[in-house]
Amino acid sequence: KAGVTQTPRYLIKTRGQQVTLSCSPISGHRSVSWYQQTPGQGLQFLFEYFSETQRNKGNFPGRFSGRQFSNSRSEMNVSTLELGDSALYLCASSLVGTGGYEQYFGPGTRLTVT
Amino acid sequence: AQKITQTQPGMFVQEKEAVTLDCTYDTSDPSYGLFWYKQPSSGEMIFLIYQGSYDQQNATEGRYSLNFQKARKSANLVISASQLGDSAMYFCALKMDTGRRALTFGSGTRLQVQP
């Protein structure tokens, strides 16, 4: 069974640009969560999607948005990039949005904003 | 609000020895789950072990065991017979069973296994 895949793996963008990251969950998993990891703030929850609906959202500005498609693939978008958005963005999928406990993470997308 | 505390920024252990990584948590909810993840330098978070708040027995998964002391709100990870490949960052995480179900992570412990 294929694991969680994230594309691209590495990305370099300039301040003010926007970026879209993609996550394909494990087959059959309908819940996708996104996390940001930085040396200063650690791992922080961005949002969770289940059956194409955003169910939970972390404390991030509106520049961070996401969506989920009918095949459970998810994208997150960051507009008007800032230097502080440089981070490893991790996506995690789980079998169900409630009750199921294991969250499987992808390899992450490392975003560098210059 | 939930909080996870990992007080050991770094740990060293000799190959083949056991090591305990500390984790304490804070939540007022009675129903929750505790997780440990391993993050090698490649960046991927690898699920190691899970403990539910109502589980009576401590969780074990191969060389990993979770020393769960509910009254003390601690969920320490014990790695037996350390291997060089165990060198990585280790994160403890808390997930509520109701409300927002996102993982709340601790700051991590960097474990280095020495030959």
Side-chain angles (χ1 to χ4, degrees), chain B:
Chain B
Q2 300 80 39
K3 187 177 179 182
I4 288 274
T5 303
Q6 293 181 255
T7 57
Q8 305 155 315
M11 290 278 288
F12 288 92
V13 65
Q14 291 293 123
E15 196 177 5
K16 298 180 185 176
E17 292 187 349
V19 62
T20 298
L21 306 184
D22 294 341
C23 171
T24 58
Y25 60 94
D26 188 23
T27 179
S28 55
D29 284 9
S31 184
Y32 52 88
L34 291 150
F35 301 73
W36 278 92
Y37 284 89
K38 171 184 177 182
Q39 187 178 42
S41 55
S42 60
E44 184 170 358
M45 298 286 282
I46 301 167
F47 168 77
L48 296 178
I49 197 166
Y50 165 84
Q51 179 87 40
S53 59
Y54 293 116
D55 293 343
Q56 297 296 317
Q57 306 254 2
N58 285 343
T60 60
E61 289 285 350
R63 295 186 299 112
Y64 305 107
S65 61
L66 201 153
N67 184 0
F68 182 47
Q69 297 187 43
K70 194 171 182 177
R72 296 181 60 189
K73 293 189 174 179
S74 76
N76 298 338
L77 176 71
V78 180
I79 305 174
S80 63
S82 298
Q83 302 171 357
L84 295 178
D86 293 336
S87 295
M89 282 291 288
Y90 288 80
F91 291 94
C92 181
L94 171 68
K95 183 182 181 211
M96 314 314 298
D97 289 340
T98 57
R100 200 179 85 171
R101 295 179 177 82
L103 289 167
T104 299
F105 285 90
S107 56
T109 296
R110 181 171 297 283
L111 176 67
Q112 295 188 56
V113 181
Q114 298 175 317

Side-chain angles (χ1 to χ4, degrees), chain A residues 15-76:
Chain A
R15 264 185 307 175
Q17 288 185 315
Q18 76 164 16
V19 66
T20 300
L21 311 181
S22 180
C23 170
S24 292
I26 292 170
S27 178
H29 286 197
R30 295 165 61 193
S31 172
V32 173
S33 298
W34 288 88
Y35 294 84
Q36 182 198 62
Q37 185 176 25
T38 60
Q41 299 298 318
L43 280 148
Q44 293 185 287
F45 171 73
L46 280 156
F47 26 65
E48 180 203 0
Y49 286 87
F50 179 72
S51 293
E52 302 179 63
T53 302
Q54 186 183 89
R55 298 202 319 158
N56 294 294
K57 191 175 190 304
N59 296 324
F60 279 82
R63 300 185 296 107
F64 291 82
S65 62
R67 59 178 174 169
Q68 186 179 35
F69 301 95
S70 58
N71 61 357
S72 294
R73 188 178 71 86
S74 176
E75 288 181 348
M76 67 162 281

